[in-house]
Amino acid sequence: MAGKESSWKFAEDYVVEREDIALARQQSVEIGVDPVSPATGAQLAAIAAATGAKRIIEIGTGVGVSGLWMFVGAPTAELTSIDSELDHHQLAKAAFLAGGVPANRVRLIAGRALEVLPRMNESSYDIVLIDADPQNIIEYVEHALRMVRPGGSVLIPHALWRGRVADPTQRDDTVTELRTLLQEIAASDAVISALSPVGDGLLHLVKIAD
C-alpha cells in the first residue's frame, strides 16, 4: 500500500498548474469548495483534447478550477456550467477572465441542477462533467448520458469519495450512492467505463452509439 500511496503522491506532484488555475484552487479552498486535484485536472485536459471537445457542460461550477483545466485541452470549446451558488459564479467569472477565456465561451446558469438539466438538449455535448452533491449522483448521471453525444465522455471526479468507497466499513448515504452507481455502470452495456484512482477517484464513461 505504501508504494501505491507514494505513486499517487508522485502523480499529483508531477503536475505543474498554471498560475491562474493555482489561484482559483486557492480561492476554492478558502471558501470551502473541494476542487479537482491537479492530476485530475490534467486528466480532464487530456480527455478534452483527445475528445476534440467543442461543447462541454459541467454540473457544479465551483470557482472554475475544473473548467479552466478543460479549456487547457479544448481552448476553443464552449462551456455551460450549472451551480446554485451565485457567489461561486462571480469567482468563476474572474477565474476564467484571468485564464484568458473569452466571455462568449462560457455560459453560467444559476439554479438547482435537477431543475435545469431536464431543459438541456439530448446528445448535444462532447463532455459532461459531474462535480456536485453526490447524494443525487445517479440522477445526474442519467441526465448526463442523455445529454452527451454517442462517443462522448461523462466524467465524475470524487468517485472514490476520500477513500471511503473502497472501505467496506464505510456505509453512509454518500458512499452507498456512489457504490450503487459503480455497480450499475459495471453492469451496463450502454457505456464503456474506467475508474481511475487519480485525485479522489475519476470515473470516466464513454457513451456507446445507439
Side-chain angles (χ1 to χ4, degrees):
M1 184 61 69
K4 290 183 179 180
E5 290 176 355
S6 60
S7 294
W8 176 89
K9 185 177 186 303
F10 183 87
E12 290 292 339
D13 293 343
Y14 172 77
V15 179
V16 178
E17 286 190 311
R18 291 186 332 206
E19 183 176 349
D20 58 297
I21 301 178
L23 178 58
R25 177 178 303 285
Q26 179 182 339
Q27 291 178 326
S28 183
V29 172
E30 288 173 354
I31 67 170
V33 174
D34 189 13
V36 298
S37 75
T40 302
Q43 282 209 355
L44 298 182
I47 292 167
T51 305
K54 297 301 182 184
R55 300 192 70 199
I56 300 171
I57 185 168
E58 65 175 352
I59 306 166
T61 309
V63 301
V65 174
S66 54
L68 285 169
W69 266 116
M70 288 188 288
F71 274 120
V72 170
T76 62
E78 296 179 355
L79 172 67
T80 298
S81 191
I82 305 166
D83 203 297
S84 60
E85 299 290 340
L86 289 175
D87 290 347
H88 294 178
H89 276 176
Q90 294 304 314
L91 291 170
K93 284 181 181 179
F96 291 133
L97 179 63
V101 179
N104 63 359
R105 294 199 180 279
V106 180
R107 177 190 181 199
L108 300 178
I109 300 177
R112 294 183 66 250
L114 291 179
E115 296 174 358
V116 174
L117 293 173
R119 305 199 298 267
M120 299 293 104
N121 293 331
E122 295 185 9
S123 302
S124 298
Y125 297 93
D126 302 300
I127 291 176
V128 182
L129 176 76
I130 304 171
D131 191 4
D133 53 305
Q135 294 81 5
N136 294 310
I137 191 64
I138 292 177
E139 289 181 83
Y140 291 152
V141 170
E142 289 172 351
H143 281 293
L145 290 174
R146 177 184 62 81
M147 295 186 299
V148 74
R149 64 166 174 81
S153 293
V154 175
L155 305 172
I156 304 116
H158 308 295
L160 292 175
W161 200 247
R162 303 177 178 88
R164 297 169 67 87
V165 171
D167 183 350
T169 67
Q170 302 297 323
R171 299 178 181 177
D172 60 75
D173 290 345
T174 296
V175 168
T176 299
E177 191 81 358
L178 286 165
R179 285 181 184 149
T180 300
L181 171 65
L182 291 170
Q183 290 167 358
E184 291 183 358
I185 289 301
S188 174
D189 57 3
V191 298
I192 296 171
S193 65
L195 177 60
S196 167
V198 67
D200 196 19
L202 178 64
L203 180 59
H204 183 181
L205 314 178
V206 177
K207 182 177 178 179
I208 297 175
D210 299 330

